[in-house]
Amino acid sequence: MKPRFWNKGILYLSKKDRVLKSIIASYPNEYLTINSNYFHCLLNSIIGQQISVNAATSIKKRFFSLNKNINPKNVMQINTKSFSKVGLSKQKISYIKNIANFFLENKQFVKNINNYSEIEIEKKLIEIKGIGPWTINMFFIFGLGKSDIFPKGDLGFLKAISISYKEKLPFSENQLKKLYNKWTPYNTIATWYLWRSLDPLPISY
């Protein structure tokens, strides 16, 4: 599903930033796809941690073929051997089961998640072992479709900024703050296009 703010946001960013304008023009028919299955979105984020887009896509395909309807209940029943065969580490298997358990025990929170603030959601999700600020940012972008997420801890994002803006890494907090302020309230769109400028496939979680 395409975010409602997308078309308005790309016009805004194209006027504000000539580098982004060029990147946006390179991908005229592409956009961020929101995954309304929050459980799948978080699983995809865990699978995608610290590996390439291509590797993550391959593992996701194998993982979701384990069952026609991957949900929290049946994930708890999948054995470790089956998980390992799709290419998941012991650590990621543990994290996936932690998320499944969270969804089983917090059905009301998940059902009403859009009624909570970003801070409230972050406080709740950070309790799950395996979920940190990066995963939460991915969930805000790809699951909840938030328009103004700036994932400054994402190495791909920082690398894309370095290449596109011809700036050396690492960036100072002041440099990042200037970019955040320049792109707000559409940091999510800027982030997605910068990722897109690096990868052969659009990122999706």
Side-chain angles (χ1 to χ4, degrees):
M1 184 172 65
K2 185 179 183 179
R4 284 175 296 179
F5 56 81
W6 200 259
N7 292 344
K8 186 178 178 182
I10 60 175
L11 289 173
Y12 177 89
L13 291 172
S14 295
K15 287 177 183 174
K16 291 273 287 189
D17 188 317
R18 60 186 178 84
V19 173
L20 276 180
K21 182 180 180 180
S22 175
I23 298 172
I24 290 167
S26 300
Y27 305 98
N29 301 313
E30 295 183 18
Y31 51 84
L32 162 68
T33 302
I34 295 173
N35 187 351
S36 58
N37 186 317
Y38 301 147
F39 180 60
H40 286 185
C41 183
L42 280 170
L43 295 192
N44 286 334
S45 298
I46 293 295
I47 292 168
Q49 282 178 0
Q50 297 177 323
I51 59 175
S52 71
V53 175
N54 281 338
T57 301
S58 179
I59 293 171
K60 278 189 279 185
K61 192 175 180 182
R62 293 196 297 269
F63 174 76
F64 282 96
S65 70
L66 289 173
N67 192 296
K68 285 183 180 178
N69 177 32
I70 291 286
N71 61 48
K73 193 173 180 180
N74 60 40
V75 159
M76 295 300 286
Q77 295 164 352
I78 296 171
N79 61 52
T80 302
K81 194 175 180 181
S82 296
F83 273 126
S84 298
K85 278 184 178 178
V86 305
L88 289 166
S89 65
K90 282 184 181 178
Q91 195 174 46
K92 286 190 177 182
I93 294 166
S94 170
Y95 295 166
I96 285 169
K97 294 214 168 187
N98 291 344
I99 292 168
N101 192 52
F102 175 86
F103 271 71
L104 290 170
E105 293 183 352
N106 295 273
K107 290 176 181 175
Q108 282 302 114
F109 170 76
V110 174
K111 185 180 177 182
N112 299 304
I113 198 164
N114 284 298
N115 296 333
Y116 294 92
S117 69
E118 287 179 19
I119 292 170
E120 288 171 322
I121 295 168
E122 185 169 0
K123 278 183 180 177
K124 190 76 173 170
L125 294 181
I126 209 84
E127 294 172 7
I128 307 169
K129 189 175 181 184
I131 288 189
W134 180 86
T135 311
I136 290 168
N137 277 332
M138 297 308 107
F139 181 62
F140 281 157
I141 291 171
F142 293 97
L144 300 182
K146 301 286 186 182
S147 68
D148 205 26
I149 304 301
F150 186 89
K152 64 180 182 178
D154 183 87
L155 297 179
F157 176 52
L158 297 177
K159 181 182 175 183
I161 293 171
S162 174
I163 293 167
S164 293
Y165 292 86
K166 297 177 175 59
E167 296 281 353
K168 285 185 179 178
L169 288 166
F171 299 121
S172 67
E173 280 297 318
N174 192 46
Q175 283 176 297
L176 293 174
K177 191 175 180 182
K178 279 182 180 176
L179 286 174
Y180 173 85
N181 290 335
K182 187 177 188 180
W183 299 335
T184 201
Y186 298 111
N187 274 286
T188 294
I189 298 178
T191 299
W192 189 89
Y193 276 106
L194 283 160
W195 278 332
R196 188 67 189 90
S197 71
L198 278 189
D199 292 305
L201 296 169
I203 291 178
S204 64
Y205 289 119

